[in-house]
Coordinates of all heavy atoms in Angstrom, one line a residue:
G126 N -7.2 2.1 -13.2 CA -8.3 2.8 -12.7 C -8.9 2.2 -11.4 O -9.8 2.8 -10.8
R127 N -8.4 1.1 -11.0 CA -8.9 0.5 -9.7 C -8.3 1.2 -8.5 O -7.2 1.8 -8.6 CB -8.6 -1.0 -9.7 CG -9.4 -1.9 -10.6 CD -9.0 -3.3 -10.5 NE -7.6 -3.5 -10.8 CZ -6.7 -4.4 -10.2 NH1 -7.1 -5.1 -9.2 NH2 -5.5 -4.5 -10.6
P128 N -9.0 1.1 -7.3 CA -8.3 1.6 -6.1 C -7.1 0.9 -5.8 O -6.9 -0.3 -6.1 CB -9.4 1.4 -5.0 CG -10.7 1.2 -5.8 CD -10.3 0.5 -7.1
V129 N -6.1 1.6 -5.1 CA -4.9 0.9 -4.7 C -5.3 0.0 -3.6 O -6.2 0.3 -2.8 CB -3.8 1.9 -4.2 CG1 -3.4 2.8 -5.3 CG2 -4.3 2.7 -3.0
P130 N -4.6 -1.2 -3.5 CA -5.0 -2.1 -2.4 C -4.6 -1.5 -1.0 O -3.6 -0.9 -0.9 CB -4.1 -3.4 -2.7 CG -3.0 -2.8 -3.5 CD -3.6 -1.7 -4.3
C131 N -5.6 -1.6 -0.1 CA -5.4 -1.0 1.2 C -5.7 -1.9 2.3 O -6.7 -2.7 2.3 CB -6.4 0.2 1.3 SG -6.2 1.2 2.7
V132 N -4.9 -2.0 3.3 CA -5.1 -2.8 4.5 C -5.3 -2.0 5.7 O -4.7 -1.0 5.9 CB -3.8 -3.7 4.8 CG1 -3.9 -4.5 6.1 CG2 -3.5 -4.7 3.6
L133 N -6.3 -2.4 6.5 CA -6.7 -1.6 7.7 C -5.9 -2.2 8.9 O -5.9 -3.5 9.1 CB -8.2 -1.7 8.0 CG -8.7 -1.0 9.2 CD1 -8.6 0.5 9.1 CD2 -10.2 -1.4 9.4
L134 N -5.2 -1.4 9.7 CA -4.5 -1.8 10.8 C -5.1 -1.3 12.1 O -5.3 -0.1 12.3 CB -3.0 -1.3 10.8 CG -2.2 -1.8 9.6 CD1 -0.8 -1.3 9.7 CD2 -2.2 -3.3 9.4
A135 N -5.6 -2.3 12.9 CA -6.2 -2.0 14.2 C -5.1 -2.0 15.2 O -4.8 -3.0 15.8 CB -7.3 -3.0 14.5
N136 N -4.5 -0.9 15.4 CA -3.2 -0.8 16.2 C -3.5 -0.7 17.7 O -4.6 -0.4 18.1 CB -2.4 0.3 15.7 CG -0.9 0.2 16.2 OD1 -0.4 -0.9 16.3 ND2 -0.3 1.3 16.5
K137 N -2.4 -1.0 18.5 CA -2.4 -0.9 19.9 C -3.3 -2.0 20.5 O -4.1 -1.8 21.5 CB -2.8 0.4 20.5 CG -1.9 1.6 19.9 CD -2.2 2.9 20.5 CE -1.4 4.0 19.9 NZ -1.6 5.3 20.5
C138 N -3.3 -3.2 19.9 CA -4.1 -4.3 20.4 C -3.6 -4.8 21.8 O -4.3 -5.7 22.4 CB -4.2 -5.5 19.4 SG -2.6 -6.3 19.1
D139 N -2.4 -4.3 22.2 CA -1.9 -4.7 23.6 C -2.6 -3.9 24.7 O -2.5 -4.2 25.9 CB -0.4 -4.4 23.6 CG -0.1 -3.0 23.3 OD1 -0.2 -2.7 22.1 OD2 0.3 -2.2 24.2
Q140 N -3.4 -2.9 24.3 CA -4.1 -2.1 25.2 C -5.6 -2.4 25.3 O -6.1 -3.0 24.4 CB -4.0 -0.6 24.9 CG -2.5 -0.1 24.9 CD -2.4 1.4 24.6 OE1 -3.3 2.1 24.6 NE2 -1.1 1.8 24.3
P141 N -6.3 -2.0 26.4 CA -7.8 -2.3 26.5 C -8.5 -1.7 25.3 O -8.3 -0.5 24.9 CB -8.2 -1.6 27.8 CG -6.9 -1.5 28.6 CD -5.8 -1.3 27.6
K142 N -9.4 -2.4 24.7 CA -10.2 -2.0 23.5 C -11.4 -1.1 24.0 O -11.9 -1.4 25.1 CB -10.7 -3.1 22.7 CG -9.5 -4.0 22.1 CD -10.0 -5.2 21.4 CE -8.9 -6.1 21.0 NZ -9.4 -7.3 20.3
E143 N -11.7 -0.2 23.2 CA -12.8 0.8 23.5 C -14.1 0.5 22.7 O -14.0 0.4 21.5 CB -12.4 2.2 23.3 CG -13.4 3.2 23.7 CD -12.9 4.7 23.5 OE1 -12.0 5.1 24.3 OE2 -13.4 5.3 22.6
G144 N -15.2 0.4 23.4 CA -16.5 0.3 22.7 C -16.6 -0.9 21.8 O -16.4 -2.0 22.1
L145 N -17.1 -0.5 20.5 CA -17.4 -1.6 19.6 C -16.2 -2.3 19.0 O -16.3 -3.2 18.2 CB -18.2 -0.9 18.4 CG -19.6 -0.3 18.8 CD1 -20.2 0.4 17.6 CD2 -20.5 -1.4 19.2
M146 N -15.0 -1.8 19.4 CA -13.8 -2.4 18.9 C -13.6 -3.9 19.3 O -12.7 -4.6 18.8 CB -12.5 -1.6 19.3 CG -12.5 -0.2 18.7 SD -12.6 -0.1 16.9 CE -14.4 0.1 16.7
N147 N -14.4 -4.3 20.3 CA -14.3 -5.7 20.7 C -15.0 -6.6 19.7 O -15.0 -7.9 19.8 CB -14.9 -5.9 22.1 CG -14.1 -5.3 23.2 OD1 -13.0 -5.7 23.4 ND2 -14.6 -4.2 23.8
N148 N -15.8 -6.1 18.8 CA -16.6 -6.9 17.8 C -15.8 -7.0 16.5 O -15.9 -6.2 15.6 CB -17.9 -6.1 17.6 CG -18.9 -7.0 16.8 OD1 -18.5 -8.0 16.1 ND2 -20.2 -6.6 16.9
T149 N -15.1 -8.1 16.4 CA -14.3 -8.3 15.2 C -15.1 -8.6 13.9 O -14.7 -8.2 12.8 CB -13.3 -9.5 15.3 OG1 -14.0 -10.7 15.7 CG2 -12.3 -9.2 16.4
S150 N -16.3 -9.2 14.1 CA -17.1 -9.4 12.9 C -17.6 -8.1 12.3 O -17.8 -8.0 11.1 CB -18.3 -10.3 13.3 OG -19.2 -9.6 14.3
Q151 N -17.8 -7.1 13.2 CA -18.2 -5.8 12.7 C -17.1 -5.2 11.8 O -17.4 -4.6 10.8 CB -18.5 -4.8 13.8 CG -19.0 -3.5 13.4 CD -19.0 -2.4 14.5 OE1 -18.2 -2.5 15.4 NE2 -19.8 -1.4 14.3
I152 N -15.8 -5.4 12.2 CA -14.7 -4.9 11.4 C -14.6 -5.6 10.1 O -14.3 -5.1 9.1 CB -13.4 -4.9 12.2 CG1 -13.5 -4.1 13.5 CG2 -12.3 -4.3 11.4 CD1 -12.3 -4.1 14.4
D153 N -14.9 -6.9 10.1 CA -14.9 -7.7 8.9 C -15.9 -7.2 7.9 O -15.6 -7.0 6.7 CB -15.3 -9.2 9.2 CG -14.2 -10.0 9.9 OD1 -13.0 -9.6 9.7 OD2 -14.5 -11.0 10.6
D154 N -17.1 -6.9 8.4 CA -18.2 -6.4 7.5 C -17.8 -5.0 7.0 O -18.0 -4.6 5.8 CB -19.5 -6.3 8.3 CG -20.0 -7.7 8.6 OD1 -19.6 -8.7 8.0 OD2 -20.9 -7.8 9.5
F155 N -17.2 -4.2 7.9 CA -16.8 -2.8 7.5 C -15.8 -2.9 6.4 O -15.9 -2.1 5.4 CB -16.2 -2.1 8.7 CG -15.6 -0.7 8.5 CD1 -16.4 0.4 8.4 CD2 -14.3 -0.6 8.3 CE1 -15.9 1.6 8.1 CE2 -13.7 0.7 8.0 CZ -14.5 1.8 7.9
C156 N -14.8 -3.7 6.5 CA -13.7 -3.8 5.5 C -14.3 -4.3 4.1 O -13.9 -3.7 3.1 CB -12.6 -4.8 5.9 SG -11.6 -4.1 7.3
K157 N -15.2 -5.2 4.1 CA -15.8 -5.6 2.9 C -16.6 -4.5 2.2 O -16.5 -4.3 1.0 CB -16.8 -6.8 3.1 CG -16.0 -8.1 3.5 CD -17.0 -9.2 3.8 CE -16.3 -10.5 4.3 NZ -17.2 -11.5 4.7
E158 N -17.3 -3.7 3.1 CA -18.1 -2.6 2.6 C -17.3 -1.5 2.0 O -17.6 -0.9 0.9 CB -19.0 -2.1 3.7 CG -19.9 -0.9 3.3 CD -20.6 -0.3 4.5 OE1 -20.6 -0.9 5.6 OE2 -21.1 0.9 4.3
K159 N -16.2 -1.2 2.6 CA -15.3 -0.1 2.2 C -14.2 -0.4 1.2 O -13.5 0.5 0.8 CB -14.7 0.6 3.5 CG -15.7 1.1 4.5 CD -16.7 2.1 3.9 CE -17.7 2.6 4.9 NZ -18.7 3.6 4.3
G160 N -14.1 -1.7 0.9 CA -13.1 -2.1 -0.1 C -11.7 -2.3 0.3 O -10.8 -2.2 -0.4
F161 N -11.5 -2.6 1.7 CA -10.2 -3.0 2.1 C -9.9 -4.4 1.7 O -10.9 -5.2 1.7 CB -10.1 -2.9 3.7 CG -10.1 -1.5 4.2 CD1 -11.3 -0.8 4.6 CD2 -8.9 -0.8 4.4 CE1 -11.3 0.4 5.1 CE2 -8.9 0.5 4.9 CZ -10.1 1.1 5.2
I162 N -8.7 -4.7 1.4 CA -8.4 -6.1 1.0 C -8.2 -7.0 2.3 O -8.2 -8.2 2.2 CB -7.1 -6.2 0.2 CG1 -5.9 -5.7 0.9 CG2 -7.3 -5.4 -1.1 CD1 -4.5 -6.0 0.2
G163 N -8.1 -6.4 3.5 CA -8.0 -7.2 4.7 C -7.7 -6.3 5.9 O -7.5 -5.0 5.7
W164 N -7.7 -6.8 7.1 CA -7.3 -6.0 8.3 C -6.6 -6.9 9.3 O -6.7 -8.1 9.3 CB -8.5 -5.4 8.9 CG -9.5 -6.3 9.7 CD1 -10.4 -7.2 9.1 CD2 -9.5 -6.5 11.1 NE1 -11.0 -7.9 10.1 CE2 -10.5 -7.5 11.3 CE3 -8.8 -6.0 12.1 CZ2 -10.8 -7.9 12.6 CZ3 -9.1 -6.4 13.4 CH2 -10.1 -7.4 13.7
F165 N -5.8 -6.3 10.1 CA -5.0 -7.0 11.1 C -5.1 -6.2 12.4 O -5.0 -5.0 12.4 CB -3.5 -7.1 10.7 CG -3.3 -8.0 9.6 CD1 -3.5 -7.6 8.3 CD2 -2.8 -9.3 9.8 CE1 -3.2 -8.4 7.2 CE2 -2.6 -10.2 8.7 CZ -2.8 -9.7 7.4
E166 N -5.2 -6.9 13.5 CA -4.9 -6.3 14.9 C -3.4 -6.3 15.0 O -2.7 -7.3 14.8 CB -5.5 -7.1 16.0 CG -7.0 -7.0 16.1 CD -7.5 -7.6 17.4 OE1 -6.7 -8.0 18.2 OE2 -8.7 -7.6 17.6
T167 N -2.8 -5.1 15.3 CA -1.4 -4.9 15.4 C -1.0 -4.3 16.7 O -1.8 -3.6 17.4 CB -0.8 -4.1 14.2 OG1 -1.4 -2.8 14.3 CG2 -1.1 -4.7 12.9
S168 N 0.3 -4.5 17.1 CA 0.9 -3.7 18.2 C 2.3 -3.5 17.8 O 3.1 -4.4 17.7 CB 0.8 -4.5 19.5 OG 1.6 -3.9 20.5
A169 N 2.7 -2.2 17.6 CA 4.1 -1.9 17.3 C 4.9 -2.1 18.6 O 6.1 -2.6 18.5 CB 4.2 -0.4 16.9
K170 N 4.3 -1.9 19.8 CA 5.1 -2.1 21.0 C 5.4 -3.6 21.2 O 6.6 -3.9 21.5 CB 4.2 -1.7 22.2 CG 4.9 -1.8 23.5 CD 4.0 -1.3 24.7 CE 4.6 -1.4 26.0 NZ 3.8 -0.9 27.1
E171 N 4.5 -4.5 21.0 CA 4.7 -5.9 21.2 C 5.1 -6.7 19.9 O 5.3 -7.9 19.9 CB 3.5 -6.6 21.8 CG 3.0 -5.9 23.1 CD 4.1 -6.1 24.2 OE1 4.9 -7.1 24.2 OE2 4.1 -5.3 25.2
N172 N 5.2 -5.9 18.8 CA 5.6 -6.5 17.5 C 4.6 -7.6 17.1 O 5.0 -8.7 16.8 CB 7.0 -7.1 17.5 CG 7.5 -7.3 16.1 OD1 7.0 -6.8 15.2 ND2 8.6 -8.1 16.0
I173 N 3.3 -7.3 17.1 CA 2.3 -8.2 16.8 C 1.7 -7.9 15.4 O 1.3 -6.7 15.1 CB 1.1 -8.2 17.8 CG1 1.6 -8.6 19.2 CG2 -0.1 -9.0 17.3 CD1 0.6 -8.4 20.3
N174 N 1.8 -8.8 14.5 CA 1.3 -8.7 13.1 C 1.8 -7.6 12.3 O 1.2 -7.2 11.2 CB -0.3 -8.6 13.2 CG -0.9 -9.9 13.4 OD1 -0.4 -11.0 13.1 ND2 -2.1 -9.9 13.9
I175 N 3.0 -7.0 12.6 CA 3.5 -6.0 11.8 C 4.1 -6.6 10.5 O 3.7 -6.1 9.4 CB 4.6 -5.2 12.6 CG1 4.1 -4.6 13.9 CG2 5.2 -4.1 11.7 CD1 3.0 -3.6 13.7
D176 N 5.0 -7.6 10.6 CA 5.5 -8.2 9.4 C 4.4 -8.9 8.6 O 4.4 -8.8 7.3 CB 6.6 -9.2 9.8 CG 7.9 -8.5 10.3 OD1 8.0 -7.3 10.1 OD2 8.7 -9.2 10.9
E177 N 3.5 -9.5 9.3 CA 2.5 -10.3 8.6 C 1.6 -9.4 7.7 O 1.2 -9.7 6.6 CB 1.6 -11.1 9.6 CG 2.3 -12.2 10.3 CD 3.2 -11.8 11.5 OE1 3.3 -10.5 11.7 OE2 3.8 -12.7 12.2
S178 N 1.2 -8.3 8.3 CA 0.3 -7.4 7.5 C 1.0 -6.8 6.3 O 0.4 -6.6 5.3 CB -0.2 -6.2 8.4 OG 0.8 -5.5 9.0
A179 N 2.3 -6.5 6.5 CA 3.1 -5.9 5.4 C 3.2 -7.0 4.3 O 3.1 -6.6 3.1 CB 4.5 -5.5 5.9
R180 N 3.5 -8.2 4.7 CA 3.7 -9.2 3.7 C 2.4 -9.5 2.9 O 2.3 -9.7 1.7 CB 4.1 -10.5 4.3 CG 4.5 -11.6 3.3 CD 5.3 -12.8 3.9 NE 5.8 -13.6 2.8 CZ 6.9 -13.5 2.1 NH1 7.7 -12.5 2.4 NH2 7.3 -14.3 1.2
F181 N 1.2 -9.4 3.6 CA -0.1 -9.5 3.0 C -0.3 -8.4 1.9 O -0.7 -8.7 0.8 CB -1.2 -9.4 4.1 CG -2.6 -9.5 3.6 CD1 -3.1 -10.8 3.2 CD2 -3.4 -8.4 3.5 CE1 -4.4 -10.9 2.7 CE2 -4.7 -8.5 3.0 CZ -5.2 -9.7 2.6
L182 N 0.0 -7.2 2.3 CA -0.1 -6.1 1.3 C 0.8 -6.2 0.1 O 0.4 -6.1 -1.0 CB 0.1 -4.7 2.0 CG 0.0 -3.5 1.1 CD1 -1.4 -3.4 0.5 CD2 0.3 -2.2 1.9
V183 N 2.1 -6.5 0.4 CA 3.1 -6.6 -0.7 C 2.7 -7.8 -1.7 O 2.9 -7.6 -2.9 CB 4.5 -6.8 -0.1 CG1 5.5 -7.1 -1.3 CG2 4.9 -5.6 0.7
T184 N 2.2 -8.9 -1.1 CA 1.7 -10.0 -2.0 C 0.7 -9.5 -3.0 O 0.8 -9.8 -4.2 CB 1.1 -11.1 -1.1 OG1 2.1 -11.6 -0.3 CG2 0.6 -12.2 -2.0
Q185 N -0.3 -8.7 -2.5 CA -1.3 -8.1 -3.4 C -0.7 -7.1 -4.4 O -1.1 -7.1 -5.6 CB -2.4 -7.4 -2.6 CG -3.5 -6.9 -3.4 CD -4.3 -8.1 -4.1 OE1 -4.8 -9.0 -3.4 NE2 -4.4 -8.0 -5.4

Side-chain angles (χ1 to χ4, degrees):
R127 288 179 298 143
V129 299
C131 186
V132 174
L133 181 64
L134 299 184
N136 196 36
K137 305 186 184 180
C138 67
D139 56 288
Q140 298 182 15
K142 299 175 185 177
E143 182 179 290
L145 296 174
M146 296 305 95
N147 290 294
N148 188 343
T149 56
S150 62
Q151 182 193 26
I152 303 180
D153 287 335
D154 295 339
F155 174 83
C156 286
K157 290 176 184 177
E158 177 187 347
K159 301 301 180 183
F161 288 91
I162 63 170
W164 73 280
F165 291 81
E166 287 192 3
T167 59
S168 169
K170 181 179 180 180
E171 302 297 334
N172 196 18
I173 297 172
N174 281 337
I175 303 298
D176 289 343
E177 290 81 356
S178 58
R180 190 166 187 87
F181 179 75
L182 178 60
V183 174
T184 298
Q185 185 64 55

